[in-house]
Amino acid sequence: MALSPLSAVQATPPGAPLDVLVVDDSRTNLQVIGRRLNQMGYRCCLCASGQEALDRIQGRSFDLVLLDMVMPGMSGNTVLREIRAMQHRRHTPVLMITARSDPGAVIEALGAGADDHVAKPFEFEVLDARMRRLVERAQENEALRRSNETLDARIAHRAIEIGELRSRVHDILADRQRLADSLQALQQQVEQLGG
């Protein structure tokens, strides 16, 4: 299956295909998952190793990463920790997939920073629903982060304005005190001259 080059996506417009990085050491699994997700309207970038996935995600953004938990060389959990350590990619939603069905696998995946976990074999319709919900939630969180950044910038700007106003008020009060002192000195001179 040919891997198509895709542009980086910050927030996918409604109705636009979602860009998914699929990581699995099994070429067969990659082909099956990639084909089915493409049929469902996703644009897939397929990687057969953790290192290849890290190289891909360094260079561009994805709406979601579908990551196999158990891989030789670099495990899915290690890849996930590396993604979470990347400043510019740490909020990318990651759905961990594994053939392990024990509760420990779920705990391990979530503990490593996965947003969700699904055991193989899975129904593609269920996978689709989970993937879309993760992307939706990530987009909502990103909008909230941006809103918070805007508010933080406004607060910082207001704090600077308040600091400048305080400085001006301090200067005005100091000028007022100097004038009051000057008037008092003049008044004492007038009293001495008149007295």
Side-chain angles (χ1 to χ4, degrees):
M1 174 180 243
L3 303 179
S4 60
L6 304 171
S7 61
V9 176
Q10 291 299 330
T12 304
L18 297 175
D19 290 321
V20 179
L21 178 65
V22 182
V23 188
D24 196 311
D25 62 301
S26 164
R27 295 272 180 198
T28 302
N29 287 347
L30 273 180
Q31 297 301 320
V32 169
I33 293 170
R35 185 174 57 252
R36 287 295 304 272
L37 291 180
N38 282 332
Q39 291 169 352
M40 298 172 93
Y42 293 94
R43 290 185 297 200
C44 297
C45 177
L46 307 177
C47 295
S49 73
Q51 188 57 56
E52 182 184 358
L54 291 174
D55 293 342
R56 292 288 177 112
I57 202 167
Q58 273 289 359
R60 59 169 283 208
S61 63
F62 291 91
D63 294 304
L64 181 127
V65 176
L66 193 58
L67 179 61
D68 187 22
M69 187 175 192
V70 180
M71 295 186 292
M74 185 180 288
S75 74
N77 287 339
T78 302
V79 173
L80 180 54
R81 286 187 186 98
E82 291 289 325
I83 292 170
R84 294 299 183 234
M86 294 177 187
Q87 181 65 26
H88 62 297
R89 301 289 184 247
R90 70 179 182 203
H91 298 297
T92 301
V94 177
L95 178 64
M96 191 75 80
I97 55 174
T98 185
R100 290 176 52 191
S101 59
D102 60 294
V106 177
I107 294 167
E108 209 176 304
L110 296 175
D115 295 286
D116 200 356
H117 170 276
V118 65
K120 297 177 192 175
F122 46 79
E123 294 292 326
F124 275 91
E125 291 73 19
V126 173
L127 181 66
D128 176 48
R130 287 184 171 197
M131 290 170 63
R132 291 192 184 279
R133 179 61 193 127
L134 287 177
V135 170
E136 181 182 303
R137 186 173 43 186
Q139 290 174 345
E140 289 168 355
N141 287 340
E142 181 60 27
L144 184 59
R145 268 191 297 279
R146 287 182 182 168
S147 176
N148 285 341
E149 287 173 4
T150 301
L151 287 174
D152 287 347
R154 288 175 62 193
I155 290 168
H157 181 72
R158 293 287 187 230
I160 290 169
E161 287 179 345
I162 289 170
E164 290 170 353
L165 286 173
R166 283 184 179 157
S167 178
R168 284 173 51 195
V169 166
H170 177 72
D171 292 345
I172 290 169
L173 290 175
D175 286 345
R176 186 176 174 188
Q177 185 61 48
R178 281 192 293 276
L179 285 172
D181 292 344
S182 293
L183 283 174
Q184 186 176 9
L186 284 172
Q187 186 176 4
Q188 288 173 353
Q189 287 178 357
V190 168
E191 288 174 3
Q192 286 175 357
L193 290 173

